[in-house]
Amino acid sequence: GSSVGAGIFVIVGAAVQPVGPAVCLSFLFAALGSVLSALCYAELAARFPVSGNAYLYAYAAFGEFFAVLFGLNLLLDFHIGASLGAVSLATYLRSAIQGAQPHRDWMPRTTALALTMMALMTGVLLVGVERGLRRVNGVLVFSKVSVVLLIIAVGSCHADAGNLVPFMPFGFAPVASGAALCSYSYIGFGTIASAAEECVNPQRDLPVSIAVSLLI
């Protein structure tokens, strides 16, 4: 869910401005690096099929000190991802409200909408992962994939090759630096490793699910 949401709807718009049409190369370079990382995650998740993600792997390999550093980095990663997704969704929602009611006198701030949605998702988590998050996440992922397929279908009918010229207007340097930003689109496989204890057969299910999420 994190990759489909923030990775596609947010990162593309942020990365294409300094890079241009060559942003597709940035995504390709980011994907190549993420493949190697995903293979490591798949191997470690199958070998240590318990919750803990990078914290557990670092603890087993380097000790407690480095595990704490990895854990803090993981928390920062998830918080940035959640805030980015909430703000982007709130921005789209605010634009939709303005479009439906252009003469509306009062409009909630983007930050207020983002905080409200974060509070709602926190309530879903409080209900429980088994009863709340799994069902809600399934609905969200289905809706987001449907939107992506709709955009591809409609956009392919109005594609213009002239928009790809010049392909690399600012040189190769922005393409390389943009790959670091685009790599955020592929971090969803790390979340899968956190759910290792929920798998029936983690040695088989985790590597397959990580590979499939990255390919999609």
Side-chain angles (χ1 to χ4, degrees):
S2 60
S3 294
V4 178
I8 295 178
F9 298 131
V10 180
I11 299 301
V12 174
V16 74
Q17 295 179 1
V19 178
V23 69
C24 58
L25 296 180
S26 298
F27 274 95
L28 178 60
F29 296 150
L32 294 176
S34 298
V35 166
L36 301 178
S37 179
L39 292 175
C40 297
Y41 261 90
E43 174 68 21
L44 291 170
R47 184 168 296 184
F48 304 103
V50 293
S51 298
N53 206 319
Y55 172 84
L56 176 65
Y57 309 150
Y59 186 86
F62 306 111
E64 186 174 359
F65 176 75
F66 287 99
V68 172
L69 295 181
F70 274 66
L72 292 175
N73 182 63
L74 201 61
L75 287 175
L76 180 62
D77 183 16
F78 285 140
H79 279 78
I80 292 176
S83 60
L84 180 62
V87 170
S88 62
L89 180 58
T91 303
Y92 287 127
L93 181 60
R94 194 171 189 272
S95 299
I97 296 175
Q98 286 179 333
Q101 299 179 349
H103 303 291
R104 187 183 181 95
D105 296 330
W106 178 82
M107 182 65 61
R109 288 181 172 271
T110 302
T111 52
L113 290 174
L115 290 174
T116 301
M117 285 183 285
M118 293 291 288
L120 291 175
M121 291 306 300
T122 302
V124 173
L125 291 174
L126 291 176
V127 172
V129 174
E130 182 68 27
R131 291 182 297 171
L133 182 61
R134 183 173 298 178
R135 298 175 182 177
V136 173
N137 189 62
V139 174
L140 292 176
V141 171
F142 176 79
S143 62
K144 288 184 288 187
V145 172
S146 300
V147 171
V148 170
L149 294 177
L150 178 63
I151 292 175
I152 293 174
V154 175
S156 60
C157 300
H158 301 278
D160 184 4
N163 294 327
L164 300 178
V165 180
F167 183 70
M168 203 178 297
F170 307 108
F172 182 77
V175 176
S177 60
L181 179 62
C182 295
S183 63
Y184 180 77
S185 301
Y186 302 99
I187 65 170
F189 57 82
T191 308
I192 297 176
S194 303
E197 289 185 347
E198 299 181 24
C199 296
V200 177
N201 187 356
Q203 281 75 16
R204 181 201 64 186
D205 297 340
L206 283 176
V208 172
S209 59
I210 289 175
V212 170
S213 69
L214 187 59
L215 289 175
I216 293 177

